[in-house]
Amino acid sequence: SEKKKRPVRYLSMILHLASYIYIIIVSPFFTSSSVLVALLCVVTHVAFSGFFFAFFSQINHLNEQSIEFEEVKSDLKDTWGWAAKQVVTSNNFAAGSRFWHILSNGLNLQIEHHLFPGLNHGHLHLIAPTVRETCKKYRVPYKEYNTYGEIATAGLNWLDTLAKADL
């Protein structure tokens, strides 16, 4: 039963967190030539982790097509529920690229991530074709950009639009 697995999962989570803290935060102080170098290692890791998360997660949401849900044209829009709204307000990019999948930690498949947040990112590419076909069947726009450059351009165009808007 699922409840019997909880203690093992909880222990696994605690061990993972403890390992992360030791490897990333504690060990640099034992292996670096000075406290300043160790601190620099820790701060660099935290800063780059935050940068990469923002770089990949925000680009999937910050463009006009994702934010302007009311502008979406579909005769079935009034019947859409939570799942369709997750699809419409997200984007994928470079879905077939192993490079972008590894670098973004699976955030290039944002649509599938929003629909199945508990699914390990390593499996998102397996469900993407089914999600894409289901969206097609129910006429839910499935927005997918072929490259990171395309989605970045869409995001920058949206920021340009906002900059020119009368507020």
Side-chain angles (χ1 to χ4, degrees), residues 68-132:
E68 299 295 328
F69 177 74
E70 298 305 319
E71 302 300 318
V72 172
K73 305 279 191 263
S74 175
D75 55 336
L76 295 178
K77 190 168 100 172
D78 292 338
T79 65
W80 289 349
W82 172 86
K85 289 179 182 175
Q86 296 304 307
V87 173
V88 171
T89 58
S90 298
N91 300 283
N92 287 352
F93 71 90
S97 170
R98 184 178 296 257
F99 170 79
W100 284 110
H101 184 77
I102 291 170
L103 189 64
S104 72
N105 206 23
L107 291 176
N108 63 323
L109 297 171
Q110 195 73 200
I111 293 171
E112 289 73 17
H113 167 69
H114 276 258
L115 292 172
F116 303 96
L119 185 64
N120 183 289
H121 70 275
H123 303 294
L124 294 173
H125 71 282
L126 298 173
I127 64 167
T130 303
V131 171
R132 193 178 300 109

Side-chain angles (χ1 to χ4, degrees), residues 10-77:
Y10 181 75
L11 181 60
S12 296
M13 288 172 44
I14 296 298
L15 287 173
H16 181 266
L17 180 61
S19 298
Y20 177 83
I21 290 171
Y22 178 76
I23 292 168
I24 302 302
I25 297 173
V26 176
S27 69
F29 289 95
F30 292 111
T31 59
S32 298
S33 58
S34 72
V35 172
L36 185 60
V37 169
L39 192 59
L40 185 62
C41 288
V42 172
V43 169
T44 301
H45 171 78
V46 172
F48 272 96
S49 295
F51 171 77
F52 276 118
F53 176 76
F55 188 75
F56 289 114
S57 66
Q58 297 310 298
I59 199 74
N60 289 311
H61 299 290
L62 295 180
N63 61 61
E64 187 171 13
Q65 293 141 334
S66 295
I67 296 173
E68 299 295 328
F69 177 74
E70 298 305 319
E71 302 300 318
V72 172
K73 305 279 191 263
S74 175
D75 55 336
L76 295 178
K77 190 168 100 172

